[in-house]
Amino acid sequence: MASPQQETVAGTGEKRAEGGKSGSRRFFAWEEVELRTGRTQPYLQERWLVIDRKVYDVSSFCKRHPGGLRVICHYAGQDATDAFTAFHLHKAQVSKYLNSLLIGELAPDQPSSEPSKNQLLIKDFRELRSVVEKMGLLKPSSLFFFLVFLHIVLLDVAAWLTIWYFGTSVGSFFLGVLLFTTAQVQMSWFQHDLGHLSVFTKSKWNHLVHTIVMSLMKGMQASWWNKLHFQHHAKPNCFRKDPDLNMHPVVFALGKKLAAELGMQKKKFMPYNYQHKYFFIIGPALMVPFFQWSVLFFSIKHKEWLDLALIVSYNIRVCLIYVPLMGFKYFMVFYWLSRFLESVWFIWISQMNHIPMNIDYDKNMDWTSTQLYATCNVDHSLFNDWVSGHLNFQIEHHLFPTMPRHNFSKVAPLVKSLCAKHGIDYQCKPLLTAFGDILQSAVQEGETILLSAGAEFAIVDKIAPNLAPPVSIGRSVEITQASGATIHIPRLRQVEPTH
């Protein structure tokens, strides 16, 4: 309840201190904040969010947000405290932006987060983060990242030396492709570290080196990657907020609920019941031109001319060191085959932790639940750590995005303890099992579309019980599953409830 010294402004829920002083605080209820998402009438131009109980109006600032417009808008109308803490390495440095956006704070009778969220879990996670900071687990090891970078350079040099010394025989050619691909993949994991501000203690050094590495050593654009990847971390596996799900439904059907909706709407862009067979071909094949085109489009649209010049210089450099050794035609095969294999490697590693997990619309859960329901881990080993760039610790990485990867195994026992206390499933599996789960999920979602499209509401009650209205039984439908088995399901027709 508000104190007697405060009065409520009728019709708004806003509270002001008596006396009308210019420095009086404004108080809001969660009901008001939740309306300012930019998607609700009559507040389509307003976007508010909450950080540490303070209410900020980011309606205009979101367009100037260094991390991109979308990532901050994904939290409009919500508590963004844990997301803000997770993404900003030096929170004091960004306070200058927040001060001008402050419009008030939550009323004393309001909880710090939305009433629907698990307040005890939020409290325990914030205590865990405090412990993590005191243990120094957010501090990077310069030696570790120096060795990572050194081994990448050695792989890159070894690829060139293989072609230079052994020529372009079949064996040396494919060995060169393998070494070049491995160097590029490991460079992807390294730039990922830089993008998450986990290599250097100062943000400006992470940003500077990230730009150089991405442009000169990968031929990609750092700002483009950041604006996409931060959205993924802010709302993982949340359809229309996580850009990693943009392949649904045009190429793949993802998530049981989304697949069920797709089937009921009778929309079909691909033969989804066979997507487990074309996943490993079409996915990487589409990623290569998509990345190349997106980088060029982004650089030109946002006038990132320096980055564009560095990207062009990367391509010139690669041509100059390889074309004289093998000719232009062989180089084209060498380069694009490497890019394709790099995409295969990247997709299997990046998706083994997410595709088999829950995929849905944004349910505005607490930070911990949002990350745990959308991610899983793969067993810790030297090979798994290396081949995935420590992304086998996806849970820890998502909970603490700026944590250097060499500390994931140290914080994992603490995260497991938190999950056990609150009854949250902490999933960890062998590498091959994780790969198999991608295909198994593809099979299940493909069959879900067939079943929901053919039997209309026959399986909705099992998959998405809240979607199914009353139904009546009609004639059966014959459906062939991806496994080849034929099943008969009664056709269920929607009927209007009688009053």
Side-chain angles (χ1 to χ4, degrees):
M1 296 296 292
S3 64
Q5 287 73 34
Q6 297 168 331
E7 62 178 356
T8 303
V9 178
T12 66
E14 175 189 319
K15 302 178 180 180
R16 299 183 188 272
E18 287 184 347
K21 296 180 180 180
S22 59
S24 61
R25 292 179 297 174
R26 301 173 61 189
F27 293 94
F28 301 95
W30 272 111
E31 289 80 1
E32 298 171 89
V33 176
E34 290 170 342
L35 290 173
R36 270 68 175 196
T37 63
R39 297 185 298 273
T40 305
Q41 292 282 6
Y43 309 109
L44 294 178
Q45 303 302 317
E46 297 185 51
R47 292 179 175 87
W48 297 0
L49 52 77
V50 175
I51 299 174
D52 289 325
R53 296 191 61 85
K54 291 181 172 60
V55 181
Y56 298 94
D57 184 349
V58 298
S59 305
S60 300
F61 172 74
C62 61
K63 296 179 181 179
R64 308 191 310 273
H65 181 231
L69 179 148
R70 293 186 179 182
V71 68
I72 195 171
C73 288
H74 290 340
Y75 273 92
Q78 302 178 11
D79 175 39
T81 303
D82 292 315
F84 174 81
T85 302
F87 290 133
H88 296 92
L89 196 60
H90 302 291
K91 291 175 283 296
Q93 294 181 359
V94 298
S95 61
K96 59 183 180 180
Y97 295 107
L98 292 178
N99 292 336
S100 62
L101 307 175
L102 180 65
I103 60 173
E105 58 186 274
L106 295 173
D109 63 336
Q110 296 291 302
S112 297
S113 298
E114 296 90 323
S116 60
K117 292 182 178 178
N118 188 334
Q119 304 297 323
L120 180 58
L121 177 58
I122 292 173
K123 175 178 177 293
D124 286 347
F125 174 74
R126 291 176 182 174
E127 289 178 354
L128 171 60
R129 183 175 179 91
S130 179
V131 171
V132 166
E133 292 174 351
K134 291 177 182 177
M135 292 175 63
L137 297 181
L138 298 180
K139 296 179 179 179
S141 166
S142 300
L143 177 61
F144 174 85
F145 286 112
F146 171 75
L147 293 176
V148 167
F149 182 74
L150 179 61
H151 108 281
I152 293 171
V153 172
L154 292 177
L155 284 168
D156 201 33
V157 172
W160 181 83
L161 287 175
T162 298
I163 302 299
W164 173 76
Y165 187 79
F166 295 104
T168 56
S169 63
V170 174
S172 61
F173 181 85
F174 284 106
L175 178 58
V177 168
L178 177 62
L179 290 169
F180 184 79
T181 300
T182 304
Q184 287 294 301
V185 169
Q186 292 300 321
M187 187 63 74
S188 294
W189 305 148
F190 181 60
Q191 73 80 23
H192 178 265
D193 298 321
L194 290 163
H196 278 285
L197 312 179
S198 61
V199 177
F200 300 98
T201 56
K202 293 185 179 297
S203 297
K204 65 178 182 180
W205 282 108
N206 283 293
H207 289 308
L208 176 61
V209 178
H210 188 213
T211 298
I212 295 173
V213 166
M214 276 291 275
S215 301
L216 282 179
M217 305 186 75
K218 285 288 302 167
M220 295 293 175
Q221 222 271 357
S223 297
W224 162 81
W225 182 88
N226 285 336
K227 286 178 171 57
L228 287 177
H229 194 64
F230 290 164
Q231 292 182 67
H232 163 69
H233 272 270
K235 295 291 183 179
N237 279 13
C238 294
F239 187 50
R240 297 201 177 103
K241 289 191 174 183
D242 181 355
D244 285 8
L245 301 181
N246 287 347
M247 52 188 153
H248 173 93
V250 178
V251 182
F252 303 106
L254 303 175
K256 290 184 178 180
K257 181 173 180 178
L258 300 181
E261 288 182 353
L262 200 60
M264 292 176 65
Q265 296 167 0
K266 294 189 169 45
K267 292 183 178 179
K268 188 175 182 180
F269 300 93
M270 295 288 284
Y272 300 115
N273 53 315
Y274 296 106
Q275 64 179 359
H276 58 291
K277 296 183 178 180
Y278 64 73
F279 170 83
F280 64 95
I281 295 294
I282 291 183
L286 290 177
M287 178 174 286
V288 174
F290 171 75
F291 274 19
Q292 299 293 323
W293 167 253
S294 296
V295 165
L296 292 175
F297 178 79
F298 182 93
S299 299
I300 295 172
K301 178 181 178 181
H302 295 274
K303 299 180 180 180
E304 301 281 357
W305 305 122
L306 176 59
D307 286 359
L308 184 59
L310 293 176
I311 292 170
V312 171
S313 68
Y314 161 80
N315 287 282
I316 293 175
R317 177 180 66 84
V318 175
C319 287
L320 288 177
I321 64 176
Y322 279 104
V323 171
L325 299 181
M326 60 177 67
F328 185 75
K329 290 183 179 179
Y330 277 107
F331 169 70
M332 284 289 98
V333 176
F334 178 93
Y335 181 78
W336 292 113
L337 177 59
S338 296
R339 285 298 192 191
F340 175 78
L341 294 176
E342 179 188 355
S343 296
V344 172
W345 191 330
F346 174 80
I347 284 180
W348 282 92
I349 293 298
S350 64
Q351 298 309 309
M352 68 181 180
N353 309 96
H354 294 299
I355 283 183
M357 304 303 291
N358 182 60
I359 297 176
D360 203 344
Y361 297 95
D362 181 19
K363 299 300 183 183
N364 189 19
M365 296 184 291
D366 60 87
W367 175 260
T368 309
S369 299
T370 297
Q371 307 304 326
L372 264 296
Y373 291 153
T375 56
C376 65
N377 280 5
V378 169
D379 291 343
H380 173 41
S381 71
L382 287 176
F383 176 77
N384 289 352
D385 293 353
W386 176 81
V387 78
S388 67
H390 288 83
L391 292 182
N392 50 325
F393 287 97
Q394 197 72 233
I395 292 174
E396 289 71 24
H397 172 54
H398 268 256
L399 290 175
F400 308 99
T402 61
M403 178 179 288
R405 56 164 136 154
H406 53 76
N407 287 332
F408 289 157
S409 61
K410 299 176 184 177
V411 77
L414 301 178
V415 175
K416 289 179 183 178
S417 178
L418 177 69
C419 292
K421 177 180 179 180
H422 292 275
I424 301 176
D425 188 17
Y426 181 100
Q427 291 193 35
C428 188
K429 59 188 75 171
L431 181 63
L432 295 182
T433 300
F435 289 162
D437 285 348
I438 296 177
L439 299 181
Q440 185 61 33
S441 297
V443 171
Q444 292 174 353
E445 272 111 50
E447 293 183 348
T448 295
I449 290 180
L450 284 177
L451 292 171
S452 56
E456 294 182 352
F457 301 102
I459 63 166
V460 174
D461 191 48
K462 291 183 179 180
I463 297 174
N466 295 328
L467 295 179
V471 296
S472 64
I473 299 177
R475 63 184 179 84
S476 64
V477 177
E478 182 180 286
I479 296 177
T480 301
Q481 298 176 287
S483 60
T486 301
I487 58 176
H488 294 269
I489 299 179
R491 177 181 291 277
L492 304 184
R493 295 189 294 269
Q494 180 178 1
V495 297
E496 296 295 331
T498 57
H499 300 281

